[in-house]
Amino acid sequence: MALMVNEAPARLKPPVAAGAGRGRWPGSWPEREALLERQHQILGDRIAELILVLLCGAEEADAPSELDCGNTHLLRQLRLHLRLEERWLSACGCLCPGHRAIHQLVARDAEAGLKQAGSDRLQQLIWLRGLQAWLLEHTGGPDTHAYALARSITDSQP
């Protein structure tokens, strides 16, 4: 995936919660799948935004704390998404133990990787690129398979 860089955003925008303001959680699999896919998009966009900030070398005095906050919030969003995805796939009978194990591994490794990167901008960039690569691979593989299975099961129910 190529990333073109013109300029860094002046400030990291606060993330938008998927489904915010709707007043109810989706009940059917198609609605749930749409929300999970939207969360994938939000995670991918957030990672790309943080990469841009690092690549453009945001020079503002508060950039390091802003990056720390952004990275921490990204981890929180990832953990919440993984838990919700597991809950909904499990409810359909479509969450295999391997998929759950992958989620646990990436959550653990992502947190450890960020701690290891510390304030080193190059290490943070490497960490974000790794997370970006994992998200692309996972959403295009295990998630695609599990979502298709959930869709086929819910389509066949009366």
Side-chain angles (χ1 to χ4, degrees), residues 47-107:
I47 292 168
E49 187 176 86
L50 290 165
I51 288 171
L52 275 175
V53 169
L54 282 167
L55 287 176
C56 294
E59 300 294 329
E60 296 105 26
D62 63 343
S65 63
E66 197 170 344
L67 280 168
D68 290 345
C69 187
N71 288 337
T72 300
H73 189 76
L74 173 64
L75 276 179
R76 182 176 177 270
Q77 282 181 301
L78 176 64
R79 283 191 303 266
L80 289 171
H81 167 73
L82 295 175
R83 285 190 356 221
L84 184 61
E85 182 178 274
E86 287 177 15
R87 175 189 291 170
W88 285 348
L89 287 173
S90 184
C92 294
C94 300
L95 181 66
C96 74
H99 197 150
R100 178 173 276 144
I102 290 169
H103 283 186
Q104 291 170 347
L105 182 64
V106 78

Side-chain angles (χ1 to χ4, degrees), residues 140-155:
D143 281 354
T144 298
H145 176 74
Y147 289 15
L149 183 58
R151 202 175 314 114
S152 70
I153 290 170
T154 58
D155 286 347

